[in-house]
Amino acid sequence: MSKQVEKIKELVAKREQARLGGGEKAIEKQHARGKYTARERIEMLVDEGSFEEYDMFKKHRCTNFGMEKKHYYGDGVVAGSATIGGRL
């Protein structure tokens, strides 16, 4: 397997991990409260497949309240651009 294909597979895996946010447990907890995750709400609002997320791999730098133990991709804010009704 070429180095490029390897890197692309790593990126795809990293994106999947980032889309899980705090993990499956956190998503289940959100759903149990009758709520959707931020990415789910965005997908419901925008045109299908149009959302392009920025800074998906960012991690926080907080050390208060035990946050130094919790590090996951896309922590804090989900930002990007999309179309709604065909308009940017």
Side-chain angles (χ1 to χ4, degrees):
M1 181 175 353
S2 73
K3 194 77 159 167
Q4 185 177 14
V5 172
E6 225 174 275
K7 290 291 183 185
I8 290 171
K9 285 184 177 185
E10 284 178 31
L11 179 62
V12 169
K14 205 172 174 182
R15 279 186 178 163
E16 286 304 312
Q17 186 181 1
R19 285 189 182 106
L20 288 176
E24 288 290 340
K25 214 172 173 184
I27 292 171
E28 288 172 17
K29 188 175 172 183
Q30 190 85 338
H31 290 168
R33 291 189 213 153
K35 297 180 177 183
Y36 294 105
T37 66
R39 287 182 181 89
E40 289 170 336
R41 293 191 305 267
I42 290 168
E43 286 301 318
M44 285 187 272
L45 174 68
V46 304
D47 295 341
E48 189 175 334
S50 70
F51 183 65
E52 188 62 43
E53 189 171 343
Y54 309 138
D55 295 332
M56 181 182 259
F57 306 123
K58 285 281 190 194
K59 292 184 178 181
H60 71 78
R61 295 178 299 206
C62 180
T63 57
N64 299 332
F65 313 109
M67 291 298 292
E68 69 277 0
K69 298 173 192 156
K70 299 178 182 181
H71 285 280
Y72 47 89
Y73 295 121
D75 187 22
V77 174
V78 177
S81 65
T83 57
I84 299 176
R87 298 180 72 179
L88 189 61

